[in-house]
Amino acid sequence: QVQLVESGGGLVQPGGSLTLSCAASGFTSDYYNIGWFRQAPGKEREGVSCLSDSDGTTYYSDSVKGRFTISKDNAKNTVYLQMNNLKSEDTAEYYCALDPYYTGSNYCRSGLYPYWGQGTQVTVSS
């Protein structure tokens, strides 16, 4: 079955950087959407950044645009989220998710993704 294993979370000071990794396995589709979502206590889960294989595009939420970068290593089936200039409001549980089915636009919506990792905590605090 599909497995997504995240790593790279931790405690970082404001202005610092972290790189999250998500290793995917157990799927056969050559094309899929994969992305990062986050959920802070008391808040809804939001799409942070997603990548679409079908059209090669990437999506970033307004809150992280210019600070976060998503990338994928196809040989390793691993997706990364480079997070720079972290702010306290970036504190949340971060989840990797994969969707091998949807090929349309507006693809960074959590309801589209059937496969999820276990999450990794990112805490930005001085």
Side-chain angles (χ1 to χ4, degrees), residues 38 48-49 60-69 90 94:
R38 68 185 182 188
V48 175
S49 180
Y60 296 95
S61 68
D62 288 343
S63 60
V64 307
K65 202 171 292 183
R67 301 187 297 122
F68 290 11
T69 303
D90 294 318
Y94 283 70

Side-chain angles (χ1 to χ4, degrees), residues 54-92:
S54 62
D55 60 8
T57 61
T58 54
Y59 164 88
Y60 296 95
S61 68
D62 288 343
S63 60
V64 307
K65 202 171 292 183
R67 301 187 297 122
F68 290 11
T69 303
I70 191 170
S71 61
K72 187 160 69 89
D73 184 332
N74 289 322
K76 297 181 179 179
N77 279 337
T78 299
V79 65
Y80 304 95
L81 186 68
Q82 173 68 44
M83 306 185 293
N84 297 327
N85 191 20
L86 283 160
K87 305 176 181 180
S88 58
E89 51 263 43
D90 294 318
T91 295

Side-chain angles (χ1 to χ4, degrees), residues 1-7 20-36 51 53 70-81 96-98 100:
Q1 72 264 22
V2 176
Q3 285 192 319
L4 302 171
V5 180
E6 302 111 330
S7 60
L20 305 183
S21 301
C22 173
S25 63
F27 60 96
T28 58
S29 176
D30 290 333
Y31 297 94
Y32 53 90
N33 298 331
I34 192 163
W36 291 94
L51 189 154
D53 260 348
I70 191 170
S71 61
K72 187 160 69 89
D73 184 332
N74 289 322
K76 297 181 179 179
N77 279 337
T78 299
V79 65
Y80 304 95
L81 186 68
C96 173
L98 185 147

